[in-house]
Amino acid sequence: MELKGSVALVTGANRGIGRAFARALLDHGAAKVYAAVRDPASVADPDLVPLCLDVTDPEQVAAAAAAAGDVSIVINNAGTAGSGSALLDGGFDGARQAMEVNYFGTWAVSRAFAPVLARNGGGALVNMLSLASWVGQPDFPGYAASKAAQWSLTDALRQGLHEQNTLVVGVHAGFVDTDLSAWVDAPKISAETVAELTMDALTNDRPEVLADAETRKAKAGLSLPPTATPAS
């Protein structure tokens, strides 16, 4: 698809990967980029159009779709780590939050904007997923489960929106150098790398981004038998 002159909306665009997505869209010639965030005052970039959106609030989701009726690209980036839910003890509040934001939030925004994309020629819907979509994570099981659900949803949307000519792109990455992964000491790629690879996928109508070597390895391993120990 053509990025130059497009109108896009990015959820969670005030920081991290979302901000990188928004800047990359502008750098590739987008005419307008809505920064859809819970607190519009947190959008510091004057080139973006702030838009109030909590993806877990149905009224705000509907209002955003009504206000941004000119979009041809929607990027579901807003997410949470859902920390605090251990695998074998404690409560499930963090896991429920992860599912509400990462899975149901993505579903709600996608459902609301699907008719908008259809009216504007089909366009593209991008979901920010994870290596954890494919690999169980005992240290953060709630987050991983929400990303696995989000991956399933992405495939359902790809099939369901095919007839209206909407390109659905799933973006998978391991640890990205943002606040969300500041707690872990592991190799990370930059948010700008993720964004640029996604722009390339959109330009070339590719439905999937595998942003780093670990993610590509995990995808390749899906057909292998289960193992009791994590892959190295």
Side-chain angles (χ1 to χ4, degrees), residues 8 14 24 56 59 71 76 106-107 114-115 123-124 159 169 177 181 186 193 197 205 214 222 226:
N14 54 335
T56 67
E59 291 184 359
V71 301
N76 283 306
T106 294
W107 194 352
Q159 296 176 56
V169 182
D177 192 11
S181 64
T193 296
L197 289 170
D205 296 328
E214 286 300 309
L222 289 177

Side-chain angles (χ1 to χ4, degrees), residues 202-231:
L202 287 169
T203 300
N204 292 284
D205 296 328
R206 290 199 307 271
E208 189 169 71
V209 175
L210 307 177
D212 52 27
E214 286 300 309
T215 299
R216 291 188 288 273
K217 181 179 178 181
K219 177 67 182 293
L222 289 177
S223 60
L224 299 177
T227 177
T229 57

Side-chain angles (χ1 to χ4, degrees), residues 2 4 6 32 67 76 104 132 142 154 157 176-177 187 204 208 216:
E2 180 61 57
K4 187 174 182 179
S6 63
K32 183 196 297 185
N76 283 306
F104 286 111
T154 300
L157 289 165
V176 183
D177 192 11
N204 292 284
E208 189 169 71
R216 291 188 288 273

